[in-house]
Amino acid sequence: MSGAITCSAADLATLLGPNATAAADYICGQLGTVNNKFTDAAFAIDNTYLLFSAYLVFAMQLGFAMLCAGSVRAKNTMNIMLTNVLDAAAGGLFYYLFGYAFAFGGSSEGFIGRHNFALRDFPTPTADYSFFLYQWAFAIAAAGITSGSIAERTQFVAYLIYSSFLTGFVYPVVSHWFWSPDGWASPFRSADDRLFSTGAIDFAGSGVVHMVGGIAGLWGALIEGPRRGRFEKGGRAIALRGHSASLVVLGTFLLWFGWYGFNPGSFTKILVPYNSGSNYGQWSGIGRTAVNTTLSGCTAALTTLFGKRLLSGHWNVTDVCNGLLGGFAAITAGCSVVEPWAAIVCGFMASVVLIGCNKLAELVQYDDPLEAAQLHGGCGAWGLIFVGLFAKEKYLNEVYGATPGRPYGLFMGGGGKLLGAQLVQILVIVGWVSATMGTLFFILKRLNLLRISEQHEMQGMDMTRHGGFAYIYHDNDDESHRVDPGSPFPRSATPPRV
Amino acid sequence: MSGAITCSAADLATLLGPNATAAADYICGQLGTVNNKFTDAAFAIDNTYLLFSAYLVFAMQLGFAMLCAGSVRAKNTMNIMLTNVLDAAAGGLFYYLFGYAFAFGGSSEGFIGRHNFALRDFPTPTADYSFFLYQWAFAIAAAGITSGSIAERTQFVAYLIYSSFLTGFVYPVVSHWFWSPDGWASPFRSADDRLFSTGAIDFAGSGVVHMVGGIAGLWGALIEGPRRGRFEKGGRAIALRGHSASLVVLGTFLLWFGWYGFNPGSFTKILVPYNSGSNYGQWSGIGRTAVNTTLSGCTAALTTLFGKRLLSGHWNVTDVCNGLLGGFAAITAGCSVVEPWAAIVCGFMASVVLIGCNKLAELVQYDDPLEAAQLHGGCGAWGLIFVGLFAKEKYLNEVYGATPGRPYGLFMGGGGKLLGAQLVQILVIVGWVSATMGTLFFILKRLNLLRISEQHEMQGMDMTRHGGFAYIYHDNDDESHRVDPGSPFPRSATPPRV
Amino acid sequence: MSGAITCSAADLATLLGPNATAAADYICGQLGTVNNKFTDAAFAIDNTYLLFSAYLVFAMQLGFAMLCAGSVRAKNTMNIMLTNVLDAAAGGLFYYLFGYAFAFGGSSEGFIGRHNFALRDFPTPTADYSFFLYQWAFAIAAAGITSGSIAERTQFVAYLIYSSFLTGFVYPVVSHWFWSPDGWASPFRSADDRLFSTGAIDFAGSGVVHMVGGIAGLWGALIEGPRRGRFEKGGRAIALRGHSASLVVLGTFLLWFGWYGFNPGSFTKILVPYNSGSNYGQWSGIGRTAVNTTLSGCTAALTTLFGKRLLSGHWNVTDVCNGLLGGFAAITAGCSVVEPWAAIVCGFMASVVLIGCNKLAELVQYDDPLEAAQLHGGCGAWGLIFVGLFAKEKYLNEVYGATPGRPYGLFMGGGGKLLGAQLVQILVIVGWVSATMGTLFFILKRLNLLRISEQHEMQGMDMTRHGGFAYIYHDNDDESHRVDPGSPFPRSATPPRV
């Protein structure tokens, strides 16, 4: 709380004249109480802000679950929703036991954190339970992205393994590099000790969350191969459309709603005056971040609407939803350090990147039911580059601490150092996730734990592994679904006429 | 921040006696810091309150999308959800470029605002980014109402045109009149310069949002005519029921959840003491507004439940949902300036108005799939009249500034001036929206850009314009939906057996 | 607001020396203003925190509606969603008229409150409109639980009667006993006048909300008997599965989202320093409560995943959802007074209790479509016992006021008194709800107002009482649904091929 009241009884006593020490003590004592009450109020305000931001980020997990469910075929609805519930549930325990410690365990070295396992010695002077909850909600988002890429054909056991590894280790280590004050590429290191004098600027995780989730998904989908029926012999793509556009739109809007906790919430504090007593403070930066997030998503949605109309001949709501989310994934890195007009540029290009990546994916017969690698990996990488081009010096200094001569956006006259740091972040994330998650998926494949059998893929995992079809619109459908307690399979394996 | 600390060193010095100037400076310097810190804390508290209220109002867009989707037939689900996504997306850009400027562009004249285009010279001393985001979320709600009236038969191009015109111009001008301090009918003008010494009282927009959206929808639906099959030759009404009651209930509850940002959030600040140091302040007015909103909706829902049971013979959840929303649309104008018992009266009458308007609509063969004109137009107008009858002087003075001899509710002894101002608002909105949106719909019809062909209407717009049916519950359904990249139409135009 | 500024002009004057009274008055006058401004800020912060917590708790009603809809067969979707809408709507009016007064009507005796009927003489010095809204959102949650137990076979009139009785009288009286400072078993009574020197510790209502709702549901379901087809002649259980797993997951996640208002929000204030000026205060307790809630739910979900995999042979998302909710219902009593590791224990045992109760239910042929009695009644009771075992002295003193020698968790060295008080609470709730709701259900049955006819049960209540089937995926389905205005029944009573 900058601008603390520093009433010095000694100083005041001399000013008040002879034998005024007691008066000075009295006055300063009162002002000391005032100072403490400001400290209390600040903790209450900032914790209210961070807790409700965390709840919004958690709502994104519901958004993911609905988006994923709507984007897969009806016969795999239970399967993918179960992965979303367990991302949150298993992520809760793993992040509590060691994920948070690896990411933010205080006073550690550049690679990995080593304190606060299972929240021992917590809260600390710089982090309270609200910060842990906020970071847990972020961690489970990364795992949610990956399950989208390998949906409809992955064994449940493989899911349990890769999700725990991603949420408990791979993701926390990356967040330590870029978000912990000790991280080797962090912008929060002391000014003279930062990568290219700036550190990588990834405010809310275009790289740390979206690229990590997207690249992990890329490897999983590449190693598993496409869903059966996705590409014809000659290579022509067949759209295996999701079973419910309503769930896709519901999920997209919930992600949009949660993104207002994801980006503006990443300030973690709102009561930070830039010039005490003036109307311009961190609250303005937070509002601007919410506006930038909105403008980038809106622009990407409109660009995708008209772009895909040209390419496919119709106005497609699920394409527009993906365009919208691509715009959000891209602006997430620079949302707090750019002007609103630049956020529009960011959204426009994010849509171009997404359409391009999807075209490329069809060319190389890469199948990703949620376009997760293209959207989160492609638009996430563009979002990091965008910061290197458009970040504004004034906002960087407000958000990351005033640093004379700090590098900023290339197109804004800030030189190329920041862009360099952003490119390093992209390469390092691709490398780390490929080495860790790529290897894991490869091992799972070799142990025959990765892909389900062809028969199960055709029947759908809900019938064969999750207790029955997700939808039963008629009592007699239920007959075919009657699961005799103890037997793994429903009486009839054919999905009901719904 | 009323009750500022005004420590005057000069005054204190004289009191402290000879050569005490330095001491007085010192003490007042400390208290100056205290004052600044209170200013900072107030900005942080009020911006937290307004931002999270804005996020709730945005959640109403999700509510609209689900309500609309559930209320139309399955074959038009993608179409209407796309309009809801684009209300938000296109609205984002238009409101940023000129909508906000027309509505709240500071120091302008009575008709239209003329500053802050594309948020230039922003934030201002009186408005920060959080205020822009809040007003954007309001603007897109008006467009969402209109698309409900003309659902299931409107060309997508016509939708793009009218939605941009409504969100970018028609709605912002109305909000300038009644909500900008410069607006000609605004209650925020100086006391001696207000319409009928009061200005129109429309706290959260029964008129500005709901009537504008409802009257625009009325014109669109009248000019387009009813859906095919809605009325038999003899004029008997055939209920073309929506395809999913679950989506209707989901949407209604989300709108209810978002309304707690829409009405209480319209105070825009919570830290406004009415009598510093006492437990009664704007926070109490905000809580009362949330309770009034709840009671009006609850009463309207129960009245509709029993009213429609008498009329139609069964307990219908979709009717109860519309009744609930009618109660909210009505109380929105007076939610902050009436007692809880009056909110119950408001809700009861809103239900009567809605049932009456629906009866009238059937008589004149007016078809509105969402009952939008009846609900938002009819109950919105009743809500304005309700204020003129039940507004309490004490609350008007707290919310709109103490004004001796201010007119208030007719039934509360406050004379007829306020009711007069409310009736002027109703007439002006009907006139302005008819002149602008009515004309636009008429032109679109003449240019054959308004209604879709009969064949498209029977097949449904999802199949013919949006890439396929919204629901696919079986793989082989997908065959009929396979859309060859590049061709506008799926292989088979008949909707699958779902 | 502890640590108030108590500047005494008399004291200061003597210190400032001769004829310094005016100076002292001046300085203390300033500090008096400072103190008032802190009071204002605290009201704004705490009301923001409580209002947004209330909105989250309200969102649970949406979660209940979706969970209930997804868990019943398609033919009863409209029926159960209507009960959820009316829980909120009827609950709004009853709680305003007398529910709040019975529960929290200030300065009353141990059994029932007797003030603030229809919010007369409101707000009070200790309760503002935000507190009323928060408590209303709690009250409607209890009624929502009960309607789950007796779904798919209860007359709508019976629902209207028992829901009003529960929300208007039974629940408020229980909340008076345990949550009102006057309640006979309340931990807020003066230290020397508490049940077993502690009062029952039920922070957010494992007993007051979940057991009350669950035990009421138990009696309803027992007196009505199982749904037709639920148990074969020989007693073997037949799973009558819900019609939509997507709605179940949507509802579960929304309940999880709302639980962040239900548990942390129960502090009702966030600006309560435990040691003014330090980073540890009520905001930390609130954050820890959110983390404990998360960990208990996550652990219960994972335990149920693996437990049911062993028992039923497959990974079932709807079972995991119920396990998750059981973990939440259990931790709700002790969420603020235990350590995170203990919350994990709570969740694990909650899953074991739920699986056990479900097994028992099948043995005694008890049918509960939502497992409401098992989940809310069983896990709620375990949650109360858990507090008696694991509550930590330090946290009890922070949350309920420092009391030397206060009893605390048996396993934490705090003796058996607290466990005793918890067991009294369990017995008293079972007794009170059995006497009130049990008797009411029995009377309704005798008056033939409780269960619907066999014919209506087979056809489903949507067709026979609520205007038609909830889902219509094809225009011609609508033909069979065409409801001629005025006639109670649709043309064809057979549900469409959806």
Side-chain angles (χ1 to χ4, degrees):
Chain A
M1 177 86 124
S2 72
I5 302 157
T6 53
C7 193
S8 137
D11 297 352
L12 182 54
T14 52
L15 302 173
L16 277 172
N19 31 358
T21 311
D25 280 341
Y26 189 93
I27 293 170
C28 281
Q30 295 292 333
L31 288 167
T33 305
V34 169
N35 209 28
N36 282 343
K37 287 169 78 69
F38 273 121
T39 303
D40 302 337
F43 277 116
I45 294 165
D46 285 334
N47 273 282
T48 297
Y49 179 73
L50 188 57
L51 280 168
F52 281 92
S53 296
Y55 305 155
L56 282 180
V57 178
F58 169 73
M60 293 175 82
Q61 201 62 16
L62 164 56
F64 261 125
M66 294 299 113
L67 176 67
C68 287
S71 302
V72 299
R73 286 161 293 174
K75 60 186 181 182
N76 292 313
T77 309
M78 305 267 254
N79 169 261
I80 198 151
M81 289 195 300
L82 184 55
T83 66
N84 285 108
V85 174
L86 292 178
D87 284 340
L93 284 183
F94 286 110
Y95 204 73
Y96 162 74
L97 291 173
F98 31 77
Y100 180 81
F102 290 154
F104 296 101
S107 72
S108 50
E109 29 77 14
F111 180 73
I112 194 166
R114 283 178 287 116
H115 292 272
N116 309 120
F117 288 94
L119 292 183
R120 211 175 318 119
D121 311 325
F122 206 81
T124 71
T126 58
D128 206 324
Y129 288 103
S130 50
F131 184 74
F132 167 83
L133 197 79
Y134 189 72
Q135 293 301 338
W136 158 70
F138 260 72
I140 61 178
I145 292 169
T146 305
S147 40
S149 293
I150 55 177
E152 305 216 86
R153 61 214 193 273
T154 305
Q155 291 187 38
F156 190 66
V157 170
Y159 157 75
L160 285 176
I161 295 166
Y162 87 73
S163 170
S164 316
F165 184 53
L166 182 65
T167 313
F169 177 68
V170 176
Y171 166 81
V173 165
V174 175
S175 57
H176 184 77
W177 298 345
F178 299 104
W179 285 347
S180 156
D182 307 316
W184 64 272
S186 163
F188 300 107
R189 295 176 76 91
S190 53
D192 54 4
D193 183 22
R194 290 177 193 155
L195 178 71
F196 302 161
S197 339
T198 164
I201 302 294
D202 185 8
F203 185 71
S206 287
V208 173
V209 177
H210 295 280
M211 275 194 72
V212 166
I215 303 295
L218 178 69
W219 280 106
L222 280 176
I223 291 174
E224 281 206 286
R227 288 168 292 175
R228 282 169 180 77
R230 177 70 173 102
F231 296 100
E232 284 183 343
K233 283 274 173 322
R236 203 162 67 84
I238 303 298
L240 301 182
R241 288 176 52 232
H243 80 279
S244 170
S246 301
L247 291 181
V248 167
V249 173
L250 172 61
T252 302
F253 263 120
L254 283 166
L255 283 164
W256 188 338
F257 178 61
W259 229 296
Y260 286 127
F262 202 87
N263 285 1
S266 288
F267 280 91
T268 69
K269 292 180 192 294
I270 188 165
L271 180 44
V272 176
Y274 294 152
N275 161 17
S276 187
S278 102
N279 66 317
Y280 183 73
Q282 184 126 310
W283 47 82
S284 312
I286 282 174
R288 189 182 57 235
T289 297
V291 171
N292 285 345
T293 301
T294 305
L295 290 175
S296 179
C298 292
T299 309
L302 288 173
T303 311
T304 306
L305 174 77
F306 291 107
K308 292 295 285 225
R309 176 68 176 72
L310 286 175
L311 291 173
S312 71
H314 45 251
W315 314 96
N316 189 304
V317 67
T318 45
D319 286 340
V320 171
C321 285
N322 278 337
L324 186 79
L325 299 177
F328 290 147
I331 191 65
T332 290
C335 52
S336 62
V337 291
V338 297
E339 290 284 9
W341 60 262
I344 292 177
V345 173
C346 182
F348 176 79
M349 280 308 299
S351 170
V352 172
V353 166
L354 180 59
I355 293 175
C357 284
N358 281 334
K359 276 292 161 203
L360 179 65
E362 282 197 1
L363 283 179
V364 301
Q365 298 196 16
Y366 168 76
D367 177 27
D368 188 322
L370 272 290
E371 298 178 6
Q374 300 95 299
L375 196 154
H376 299 278
C379 297
W382 154 244
L384 292 176
I385 295 166
F386 165 77
V387 174
L389 303 175
F390 289 91
K392 204 174 162 179
E393 186 178 24
K394 178 186 179 226
Y395 296 153
L396 282 168
N397 283 329
E398 285 169 4
V399 176
Y400 290 96
T403 313
R406 155 196 292 285
Y408 54 99
L410 180 66
F411 290 172
M412 311 293 281
K417 278 191 164 184
L418 176 55
L419 184 58
Q422 304 300 98
L423 295 175
V424 166
Q425 177 174 359
I426 292 173
L427 295 175
V428 156
I429 286 180
V430 172
W432 168 255
V433 177
S434 305
T436 49
M437 297 302 290
T439 308
L440 175 66
F441 281 120
F442 191 74
I443 293 170
L444 288 171
K445 177 164 187 175
R446 296 301 292 262
L447 297 175
N448 227 326
L449 288 173
L450 190 56
R451 186 151 184 158
I452 56 176
S453 67
E454 179 171 357
Q455 192 226 346
H456 280 190
E457 186 170 343
M458 298 319 289
Q459 278 189 299
M461 286 182 275
D462 293 359
M463 295 293 290
T464 56
R465 295 166 171 262
H466 296 297
F469 206 60
Y471 303 98
I472 302 173
Y473 283 97
H474 298 285
D475 290 6
N476 43 29
D477 298 343
D478 205 20
E479 177 49 39
S480 65
H481 277 268
R482 199 143 295 168
V483 175
D484 303 319
S487 94
F489 292 105
R491 285 189 189 165
S492 97
T494 43
R497 298 302 312 146
V498 167
Chain B
M1 176 89 120
S2 73
I5 303 157
T6 55
C7 191
S8 140
D11 297 352
L12 181 56
T14 50
L15 302 173
L16 277 171
N19 25 349
T21 311
D25 281 341
Y26 189 93
I27 293 170
C28 280
Q30 294 294 332
L31 288 169
T33 304
V34 168
N35 210 27
N36 284 340
K37 288 170 77 69
F38 273 121
T39 304
D40 302 336
F43 277 117
I45 294 166
D46 285 334
N47 273 282
T48 296
Y49 179 74
L50 188 56
L51 281 168
F52 279 93
S53 296
Y55 305 154
L56 281 181
V57 178
F58 169 73
M60 293 175 84
Q61 201 63 15
L62 164 56
F64 261 127
M66 294 299 114
L67 176 67
C68 288
S71 302
V72 299
R73 285 160 293 174
K75 61 183 180 182
N76 293 312
T77 309
M78 304 267 256
N79 170 262
I80 198 152
M81 290 195 299
L82 184 56
T83 66
N84 286 108
V85 174
L86 291 177
D87 283 341
L93 283 182
F94 285 110
Y95 203 73
Y96 162 75
L97 290 172
F98 31 77
Y100 180 81
F102 289 154
F104 295 100
S107 72
S108 51
E109 30 76 14
F111 179 74
I112 195 165
R114 281 179 290 118
H115 290 273
N116 309 123
F117 288 95
L119 291 184
R120 213 177 315 120
D121 310 326
F122 205 81
T124 70
T126 57
D128 207 324
Y129 288 102
S130 50
F131 184 74
F132 167 82
L133 198 78
Y134 189 72
Q135 294 300 339
W136 158 70
F138 260 72
I140 60 178
I145 293 171
T146 306
S147 39
S149 293
I150 55 177
E152 303 218 86
R153 61 221 196 268
T154 306
Q155 290 188 41
F156 190 65
V157 170
Y159 155 75
L160 284 176
I161 295 168
Y162 87 73
S163 169
S164 316
F165 184 53
L166 183 63
T167 312
F169 177 68
V170 175
Y171 165 81
V173 166
V174 174
S175 55
H176 182 76
W177 298 343
F178 298 103
W179 284 347
S180 155
D182 306 318
W184 62 271
S186 162
F188 300 108
R189 295 174 75 90
S190 53
D192 54 3
D193 183 20
R194 290 177 193 155
L195 178 70
F196 303 160
S197 334
T198 161
I201 301 293
D202 186 9
F203 185 71
S206 287
V208 174
V209 177
H210 294 280
M211 274 194 74
V212 166
I215 302 296
L218 179 69
W219 280 106
L222 280 175
I223 291 174
E224 283 207 285
R227 289 168 290 174
R228 284 171 177 77
R230 176 72 172 101
F231 296 99
E232 283 184 343
K233 283 273 174 316
R236 203 163 68 86
I238 303 297
L240 302 180
R241 288 176 53 231
H243 80 279
S244 170
S246 301
L247 292 181
V248 167
V249 172
L250 173 61
T252 302
F253 264 120
L254 283 165
L255 283 165
W256 187 339
F257 178 62
W259 230 296
Y260 286 126
F262 203 87
N263 284 1
S266 287
F267 280 92
T268 72
K269 291 182 193 293
I270 187 165
L271 180 44
V272 177
Y274 293 153
N275 161 17
S276 187
S278 100
N279 66 319
Y280 183 75
Q282 185 126 309
W283 48 81
S284 311
I286 284 174
R288 189 182 58 236
T289 297
V291 171
N292 285 345
T293 301
T294 305
L295 289 176
S296 178
C298 291
T299 309
L302 287 174
T303 311
T304 307
L305 174 77
F306 291 105
K308 293 294 283 221
R309 176 67 176 73
L310 287 175
L311 293 172
S312 72
H314 44 252
W315 313 96
N316 189 306
V317 67
T318 46
D319 286 339
V320 171
C321 286
N322 278 337
L324 185 80
L325 299 177
F328 290 147
I331 191 67
T332 291
C335 50
S336 62
V337 291
V338 297
E339 289 285 9
W341 62 263
I344 292 176
V345 173
C346 183
F348 176 80
M349 279 309 298
S351 171
V352 172
V353 166
L354 180 57
I355 291 174
C357 285
N358 282 337
K359 276 290 163 205
L360 181 64
E362 280 197 2
L363 283 178
V364 300
Q365 296 196 20
Y366 168 76
D367 175 29
D368 188 322
L370 272 289
E371 298 177 6
Q374 300 94 298
L375 194 153
H376 299 279
C379 297
W382 153 244
L384 291 175
I385 295 168
F386 164 76
V387 174
L389 303 175
F390 288 91
K392 202 175 164 177
E393 185 178 25
K394 176 184 180 230
Y395 297 152
L396 282 169
N397 283 330
E398 285 169 3
V399 174
Y400 290 96
T403 311
R406 157 199 290 286
Y408 53 99
L410 180 65
F411 289 172
M412 312 294 280
K417 278 190 166 184
L418 174 56
L419 183 58
Q422 304 299 97
L423 295 175
V424 166
Q425 176 173 359
I426 291 172
L427 295 175
V428 157
I429 285 179
V430 171
W432 168 256
V433 177
S434 304
T436 49
M437 297 301 289
T439 310
L440 175 67
F441 280 121
F442 190 75
I443 294 169
L444 288 171
K445 178 164 185 177
R446 296 303 291 264
L447 298 175
N448 229 324
L449 287 175
L450 190 56
R451 186 151 185 162
I452 56 176
S453 69
E454 178 168 0
Q455 190 225 343
H456 279 192
E457 185 169 343
M458 297 320 289
Q459 277 188 300
M461 286 182 274
D462 294 358
M463 295 292 293
T464 57
R465 292 163 175 269
H466 296 297
F469 205 61
Y471 302 98
I472 302 172
Y473 283 98
H474 299 286
D475 289 7
N476 42 27
D477 297 345
D478 203 20
E479 176 53 35
S480 65
H481 277 266
R482 197 142 297 168
V483 174
D484 303 321
S487 95
F489 291 106
R491 286 187 188 163
S492 98
T494 44
R497 301 302 313 146
V498 172
Chain C
M1 178 87 124
S2 71
I5 302 157
T6 53
C7 192
S8 136
D11 298 351
L12 182 56
T14 50
L15 303 172
L16 276 172
N19 30 5
T21 313
D25 280 342
Y26 189 93
I27 293 170
C28 282
Q30 297 292 333
L31 288 168
T33 306
V34 168
N35 208 28
N36 283 341
K37 286 168 79 66
F38 273 120
T39 303
D40 302 336
F43 278 116
I45 294 165
D46 285 334
N47 274 280
T48 297
Y49 179 74
L50 187 56
L51 280 168
F52 280 94
S53 296
Y55 304 155
L56 281 181
V57 178
F58 168 73
M60 293 175 81
Q61 201 62 15
L62 165 55
F64 261 125
M66 293 301 111
L67 175 67
C68 287
S71 301
V72 301
R73 286 160 294 172
K75 60 183 182 182
N76 293 311
T77 308
M78 305 266 256
N79 170 264
I80 199 152
M81 289 195 299
L82 184 56
T83 65
N84 286 109
V85 174
L86 291 179
D87 283 341
L93 283 183
F94 284 111
Y95 204 71
Y96 162 75
L97 291 173
F98 31 78
Y100 181 81
F102 289 154
F104 295 100
S107 72
S108 49
E109 30 77 13
F111 178 74
I112 193 166
R114 280 177 292 118
H115 291 274
N116 308 120
F117 288 94
L119 292 182
R120 210 176 318 123
D121 312 324
F122 205 83
T124 71
T126 57
D128 206 324
Y129 287 102
S130 50
F131 184 75
F132 167 83
L133 198 77
Y134 189 73
Q135 292 301 336
W136 159 70
F138 260 72
I140 59 178
I145 292 170
T146 305
S147 39
S149 293
I150 57 178
E152 302 218 89
R153 61 219 195 269
T154 305
Q155 291 189 39
F156 190 66
V157 170
Y159 157 73
L160 284 176
I161 295 168
Y162 87 74
S163 167
S164 315
F165 184 53
L166 182 63
T167 312
F169 176 68
V170 176
Y171 166 81
V173 167
V174 175
S175 55
H176 182 76
W177 298 344
F178 298 104
W179 284 348
S180 155
D182 306 316
W184 64 272
S186 163
F188 302 108
R189 296 177 74 93
S190 54
D192 54 6
D193 182 21
R194 291 178 193 154
L195 180 70
F196 303 159
S197 339
T198 162
I201 301 294
D202 185 8
F203 185 70
S206 287
V208 174
V209 178
H210 295 280
M211 274 194 73
V212 165
I215 302 295
L218 178 68
W219 280 106
L222 280 176
I223 291 174
E224 283 206 285
R227 290 168 290 175
R228 281 171 179 77
R230 177 70 172 103
F231 296 100
E232 284 183 343
K233 283 275 173 318
R236 201 162 68 85
I238 303 298
L240 302 181
R241 288 175 56 230
H243 80 279
S244 170
S246 301
L247 291 181
V248 167
V249 172
L250 172 62
T252 302
F253 264 119
L254 283 166
L255 283 165
W256 187 339
F257 179 61
W259 232 295
Y260 287 127
F262 202 86
N263 285 1
S266 288
F267 280 92
T268 71
K269 292 182 192 294
I270 188 164
L271 181 45
V272 176
Y274 293 152
N275 160 18
S276 187
S278 102
N279 67 318
Y280 183 74
Q282 185 128 306
W283 48 83
S284 311
I286 283 174
R288 188 183 58 236
T289 297
V291 171
N292 285 346
T293 301
T294 305
L295 289 176
S296 178
C298 292
T299 309
L302 288 174
T303 311
T304 307
L305 174 77
F306 291 105
K308 293 293 282 220
R309 176 68 176 74
L310 287 175
L311 292 172
S312 72
H314 43 253
W315 313 97
N316 189 304
V317 67
T318 46
D319 287 338
V320 170
C321 286
N322 277 337
L324 185 80
L325 299 177
F328 289 147
I331 191 67
T332 290
C335 51
S336 62
V337 291
V338 298
E339 289 283 9
W341 61 264
I344 292 176
V345 174
C346 183
F348 176 78
M349 280 308 300
S351 171
V352 173
V353 165
L354 181 58
I355 293 174
C357 285
N358 282 335
K359 276 291 160 203
L360 180 64
E362 282 197 2
L363 282 179
V364 300
Q365 297 195 19
Y366 168 77
D367 176 26
D368 187 323
L370 270 293
E371 298 177 7
Q374 299 96 299
L375 194 153
H376 299 280
C379 296
W382 153 244
L384 291 176
I385 295 168
F386 165 77
V387 175
L389 304 175
F390 290 92
K392 205 177 162 177
E393 185 178 25
K394 176 184 179 230
Y395 296 154
L396 281 169
N397 283 330
E398 284 170 4
V399 175
Y400 290 96
T403 312
R406 155 196 294 284
Y408 55 98
L410 179 66
F411 289 172
M412 311 296 279
K417 279 189 163 185
L418 176 55
L419 183 59
Q422 306 297 99
L423 295 175
V424 165
Q425 177 174 359
I426 292 172
L427 295 175
V428 157
I429 286 179
V430 171
W432 167 255
V433 177
S434 304
T436 50
M437 297 302 289
T439 309
L440 175 66
F441 280 122
F442 190 74
I443 294 169
L444 288 171
K445 177 166 186 177
R446 295 304 290 265
L447 299 174
N448 229 328
L449 286 174
L450 191 55
R451 186 153 183 155
I452 57 174
S453 68
E454 178 170 358
Q455 188 225 348
H456 279 192
E457 185 169 342
M458 297 318 292
Q459 278 187 298
M461 286 183 274
D462 292 359
M463 295 292 294
T464 56
R465 295 166 171 264
H466 296 297
F469 205 60
Y471 302 98
I472 302 175
Y473 283 97
H474 298 286
D475 288 7
N476 41 31
D477 296 346
D478 204 20
E479 178 49 38
S480 65
H481 276 268
R482 196 144 295 168
V483 175
D484 303 321
S487 97
F489 291 105
R491 285 188 188 163
S492 100
T494 45
R497 301 302 311 146
V498 171

